[in-house]
Amino acid sequence: MPDAEPRSAVPKFGTLTVPKASDVLAAEVRERILSGELSEGTLLPAERQFVEQTGLSRATVREALRVLEAERLVEIRPGRGGGAFVQRPGRESVAGAVQLVIRGQCIRPDALHETREAVEPACAALAAVHRTDADLAELDAAYRELTSAGSDVARFLRADVHWHDAVARAGRNELLIGFVSALSEAIHAATGLEPFLDTGTREATVRAHAGVTEAIRAGDAEAARRRMSRHVCGLARVGGSTHGSSPNDGSANEN
C-alpha cells in the first residue's frame, strides 16, 4: 500500500480587527457628504429613524454623529426644529487640522518658517491675479491697523496676522488660506513678542507690507511673489537665531 501523502500545514490567520459600528456609520455618512450626495443644509434622519433604518443602537448613532460633528461635517442644532444638519468642510477645517498637526507633532520653528517661505509668496502672486476691490480694502485696513499700533507690540502682531490672512484670502485658494491661517498663528506663538520690540523691525515690516500690497494692487504677480519672499525670509531670520536684525522690507533692490 503506498505511503499516504503528508498533510499540508494548516493555514494560520492573524487576529482580525472589527471596526466599531459607530465608525462604520460615520464613514458611510461622511462619504455621502463628501461625494455631494448629501448637500449642505440637509437634515439627517432623527436618532430614532437612524436606529430603525440601520438596526444600530441609539448610543451607536449618537457616537457616530459626535464624530461627524467633531469633523465639522455635521452641525447639531438643539431644540424644536433642530437636528443634525449637513455642512461642508471649509477653510477653518484646513486651518484646524494643520494646527493640530503643528501642536501635536511639536513641529520645529524652522519647519514652520520653511513652509511659510514656500507658501506665502505663491499666495501673494495669486492675490495679484484675483484680488477684488473688497480684498484691497481689507489689505488697506490691515495696513492702517499695523501703522496705528505704534509701540503696542501685541496689537502690531495681531494686525500682522490679519494682513497675511487677507493676502491669502485675496488669492482665492481655500487650501492656501487654511495653511496661512494656521502658520501665521503658530509662527507668532513660537516667535513671541521679543523680536518686534525693536522699532527697526516693526518699521521694516510696515514697509514690506506696503510694497507687497502695492504689487497686488498693480496686478503684478511676479513683483508680489518676490517682495513677499523677501519679507517672509526676513521674518524667519528675525524669529530665528539672529534676533534683533531687521527683516528685508520686501521692496528694496528690485529688478
Side-chain angles (χ1 to χ4, degrees), residues 77 82 122 154 217:
R77 301 177 192 170
R217 192 185 310 277

Side-chain angles (χ1 to χ4, degrees), residues 13-93:
F13 295 89
T15 302
L16 297 178
T17 302
V18 179
K20 293 167 57 178
S22 58
D23 290 341
V24 174
L25 177 58
E28 180 177 348
V29 178
R30 183 188 302 113
E31 178 56 31
R32 290 192 180 192
I33 293 172
L34 297 179
S35 69
E37 180 182 342
L38 297 176
S39 59
E40 180 132 18
T42 298
L43 175 62
L44 295 179
E47 280 185 12
R48 177 180 53 78
Q49 292 172 310
F50 259 128
V51 169
E52 292 172 355
Q53 292 174 17
T54 65
L56 300 174
S57 68
R58 276 185 178 253
T60 298
V61 170
R62 285 178 190 150
E63 186 175 353
L65 292 175
R66 280 197 296 268
V67 169
L68 294 167
E69 184 181 27
E71 295 174 349
R72 298 187 178 183
L73 293 174
V74 163
E75 179 187 3
I76 308 295
R77 301 177 192 170
R80 189 171 184 177
F85 292 84
V86 171
Q87 60 181 11
R88 303 285 293 175
R91 67 184 63 154
E92 68 281 353
S93 299

Side-chain angles (χ1 to χ4, degrees), residues 103-223:
R103 297 188 65 184
Q105 295 295 321
C106 299
I107 302 297
R108 56 189 173 84
D110 283 352
L112 296 177
H113 285 296
E114 289 163 1
T115 305
R116 188 180 209 180
E117 290 167 20
V119 167
E120 293 218 45
C123 289
L126 288 171
V129 174
H130 299 296
R131 88 287 182 276
T132 64
D133 289 343
D135 294 322
L136 293 173
E138 186 177 6
L139 286 170
D140 290 339
Y143 180 78
R144 287 193 299 271
E145 186 182 351
L146 195 76
T147 56
S148 63
S151 59
D152 186 340
V153 177
R155 182 182 171 194
F156 184 92
L157 288 179
R158 286 195 299 272
D160 184 58
V161 170
H162 180 190
W163 182 84
H164 282 274
D165 287 348
V167 171
R169 285 192 293 272
R172 299 288 182 275
N173 183 302
E174 295 295 328
L175 287 175
L176 290 177
I177 292 169
F179 272 118
V180 169
S181 176
L183 284 171
S184 295
E185 296 290 347
I187 287 171
H188 281 304
T191 303
L193 302 181
E194 181 185 347
F196 293 92
L197 294 175
D198 177 65
T199 301
T201 295
R202 295 199 303 276
E203 290 176 348
T205 299
V206 168
R207 290 195 301 272
H209 285 207
V212 176
T213 301
E214 177 188 2
I216 292 172
R217 192 185 310 277
D220 190 336
E222 285 309 307

